[in-house]
Amino acid sequence: GLTLSINGPDRGNLANCGISDVSALTEQTQLTWLNLSGNEIGDVGDLSGLRLLKELHLQGNQLTDVSALKELRQLTKLDLSKNKLTDLSVLKELTQLEWLNLSKNKLSDLSVLKELTQLEWLSLEKNRKLTKAQIEEVQKALPKCKIEHNAKK
């Protein structure tokens, strides 16, 4: 079994635990904050029922598909950095997002981000395929958002 080190009944911290399977979390529907950073997680399907989550940290995993997160409509803070993401289409459902870290992925299409009108901070650093023009387009759509990037072309 998975032991959640819970900091309060609605917070779960499982960072750097070497876990690849999060099925044990399906019952933890009271969680509003969850840290799963630095694990071996490739599938987040089991998190789709955690509908109260406001903050979710998944940096440094093996994620290629995060479509299951579309149910987590309360999310305001989402860290997906250091994964293997190419497709962000699921994020258009997460309209409450204010903070989004997508650095160190394999992104090439940012069009969906233009719909996230609540975003205040966005990191797109170290996504080699991204161009300055793509990032400027997102910035134009989200004038209040601070975007961090290192696109050179």
Side-chain angles (χ1 to χ4, degrees), residues 13-137:
N13 187 1
L14 288 164
N16 307 309
C17 291
I19 55 177
S20 56
D21 176 8
V22 290
S23 56
L25 292 173
T26 50
E27 305 299 306
Q28 305 293 328
T29 52
Q30 81 287 356
L31 292 174
T32 60
W33 184 93
L34 182 58
N35 186 350
L36 292 166
S37 305
N39 284 295
E40 301 292 322
I41 299 163
D43 180 9
V44 288
D46 290 313
L47 302 179
S48 63
L50 306 184
R51 308 245 168 113
L52 299 180
L53 279 179
K54 287 183 168 25
E55 191 169 322
L56 178 58
H57 295 269
L58 286 163
Q59 71 264 34
N61 279 286
Q62 302 293 321
L63 298 172
T64 53
D65 175 13
V66 289
S67 51
L69 300 182
K70 70 176 181 287
E71 305 298 336
L72 307 182
R73 307 243 165 102
Q74 305 292 315
L75 281 177
T76 57
K77 189 167 185 178
L78 178 59
D79 193 339
L80 293 169
S81 59
K82 298 187 197 163
N83 279 288
K84 298 174 180 172
L85 298 176
T86 54
D87 180 12
L88 298 175
S89 51
V90 55
L91 295 179
K92 70 175 176 285
E93 310 286 340
L94 305 180
T95 54
Q96 302 304 306
L97 282 176
E98 296 167 5
W99 189 99
L100 179 60
N101 191 340
L102 294 167
S103 61
K104 298 186 182 170
N105 276 287
K106 299 180 185 308
L107 303 177
S108 55
D109 179 6
L110 300 176
S111 50
V112 66
L113 297 177
K114 292 186 254 182
E115 298 176 46
L116 299 178
T117 54
Q118 303 296 313
L119 271 186
E120 294 166 13
W121 186 87
L122 170 65
S123 177
L124 295 166
E125 291 179 307
K126 298 188 177 155
N127 281 282
R128 284 196 201 111
K129 293 178 183 163
L130 294 182
T131 65
K132 283 183 180 163
Q134 285 175 296
I135 292 164
E136 279 160 18
E137 212 175 294

